[in-house]
Amino acid sequence: MSKEKILTVQDISCVGQCSLTVALPVISACGIETCVLPTAVLSTHTAFKPGWTFRDLTCDIQPISEHWSKENITFKAIYTGYLGSREQVDLILKLIDRHLEKDGATIVDPAMADGGVLYKGFPEDFPKDMARLCAVADVILPNITEACLMTGTAFRTEYDEKYILDLLSKLSELGCKKVVLTGVSFDPKKLGVAVYDCKSKKVEYYFNDKLPRMSHGTGDVYASAFVGAYMNGKSVYESASIAADFTVRTIEATMDDESHWYGVKFEKELPYLIDRLK
Ligand code: PXL
């Protein structure tokens, strides 16, 4: 992948350090022109207490795309995250058809669940729709919960390598080319990712020391750093490793501040990410 403009499709949570308020600064810091298509506007992300506003922008996608077609606007990559409705899946499939360059990449973070459960607001069968988007992706970046929901696998917190290999194999049957499965741990002291090539069935792991704190928004920090590195010509495995190291540092940068429970202070670590791309 080379440095040209990309499109990211996900929500704007006005407060909460996730989705577009993470993707835009992180990918831009990586030197990539980052265009946006907001799927919804929320006052905060949905891990805040109920009361957040939610404006669904499904109706805007088609007119925006039609205008882009008139302007011959295309992208080197399309990176999707949190969607505002199931109808957006078909609209995004059309968008990819119309606006992704021939040698471009589709990167799908099926951001919809964690800790064994769907995020508030998604219908129970939403993973089926998300799986249709994953089917056309060059790279998907699910966590274990999302992987389980899209493949009809029982979610487990304790497992062995066979469970992960089975999950990767089922994900590959969705139709994607590569999988970066996040939140993988075979040792209580380590946490990392499994990088899987769906054609060769080769799996590689990358682990960091597990931190005592889990944080909101790290999935978006991870996926955005992955896209930034990948668009700078790094391989999927290198991008997955750089994104993991960056994400760990953003959690470390936030750990001393209990009041900052809703996201991570990724801004402080952007120089580190930029440095890793040199
Ligand atoms: O970080 C994932 C995410 C994105 N967007 C919204 C969310 C969440 C997670 O809770 O609620 C609106």
Side-chain angles (χ1 to χ4, degrees), residues 7 9 37-39 56-66 68 78 80 83-100 129 132-133 136:
L7 173 69
V9 185
L37 181 51
T39 55
D56 176 12
L57 297 180
T58 304
C59 292
D60 289 279
I61 295 179
Q62 184 70 11
I64 287 173
S65 168
E66 276 164 20
W68 286 349
I78 297 183
T80 71
L83 305 185
S85 70
R86 74 167 82 243
E87 290 73 30
Q88 291 187 354
V89 169
D90 290 307
L91 292 165
I92 293 168
L93 289 172
K94 261 197 217 162
L95 201 82
I96 292 167
D97 234 29
R98 280 179 161 187
H99 303 289
L100 184 66
D129 293 286
R132 293 192 296 115
L133 190 53
V136 305

Side-chain angles (χ1 to χ4, degrees), residues 3-262:
K3 287 191 185 187
E4 286 174 58
K5 75 175 181 306
I6 72 144
L7 173 69
T8 183
V9 185
Q10 45 189 314
D11 73 285
I12 298 178
S13 288
C14 300
V15 173
Q17 276 183 318
C18 69
S19 319
L20 281 183
T21 65
V22 170
L24 195 48
V26 170
I27 305 169
S28 297
C30 295
I32 310 297
E33 180 182 347
T34 309
C35 307
V36 301
L37 181 51
T39 55
V41 179
L42 294 85
S43 50
T44 65
H45 63 56
T46 61
F48 278 76
K49 286 200 237 34
W52 22 270
T53 69
F54 184 98
R55 181 162 311 275
D56 176 12
L57 297 180
T58 304
C59 292
D60 289 279
I61 295 179
Q62 184 70 11
I64 287 173
S65 168
E66 276 164 20
H67 179 225
W68 286 349
S69 289
K70 282 189 197 138
E71 293 288 334
N72 291 317
I73 290 169
T74 60
F75 305 99
K76 190 83 187 165
I78 297 183
Y79 152 41
T80 71
Y82 184 101
L83 305 185
S85 70
R86 74 167 82 243
E87 290 73 30
Q88 291 187 354
V89 169
D90 290 307
L91 292 165
I92 293 168
L93 289 172
K94 261 197 217 162
L95 201 82
I96 292 167
D97 234 29
R98 280 179 161 187
H99 303 289
L100 184 66
E101 290 163 20
K102 269 212 178 70
D103 57 345
T106 300
I107 299 162
V108 176
D109 176 5
M112 61 181 167
D114 205 2
V117 290
L118 268 180
Y119 293 145
K120 291 178 203 118
F122 285 119
E124 211 182 304
D125 57 350
F126 184 72
K128 266 194 199 155
D129 293 286
M130 191 57 100
R132 293 192 296 115
L133 190 53
C134 288
V136 305
D138 294 281
V139 186
I140 64 169
L141 301 131
N143 60 34
I144 293 181
T145 303
E146 290 153 352
C148 285
L149 290 171
M150 289 194 294
T151 59
T153 308
F155 174 75
R156 282 165 50 181
T157 48
E158 280 178 31
Y159 48 77
D160 54 13
E161 191 183 8
K162 187 178 166 299
Y163 177 77
I164 295 298
L165 292 176
D166 180 52
L167 209 44
L168 291 168
S169 165
K170 286 186 191 162
L171 286 166
S172 74
E173 286 166 18
L174 298 180
C176 53
K177 295 198 178 82
K178 297 202 174 175
V179 180
V180 179
L181 181 65
T182 61
V184 175
S185 178
F186 299 127
D187 167 342
K189 294 200 187 95
K190 301 274 174 192
L191 183 68
V193 297
V195 180
Y196 187 69
D197 184 307
C198 300
K199 201 166 167 198
S200 70
K201 303 196 183 306
K202 184 178 158 209
V203 61
E204 290 174 283
Y205 296 100
Y206 185 78
F207 293 105
N208 272 296
D209 290 338
K210 197 186 268 182
L211 297 173
R213 177 169 160 175
M214 292 307 292
S215 307
H216 285 290
T218 48
D220 299 340
V221 168
Y222 182 82
S224 301
F226 173 89
V227 170
Y230 191 57
M231 298 312 296
N232 271 275
K234 304 287 182 195
S235 69
V236 171
Y237 184 76
E238 283 172 324
S239 304
S241 315
I242 292 168
D245 295 343
F246 173 63
T247 305
V248 165
R249 291 177 72 108
T250 65
I251 299 169
E252 281 169 345
T254 317
M255 276 203 301
D256 62 348
D257 186 352
E258 283 288 318
S259 70
H260 205 99
W261 62 271
Y262 52 82

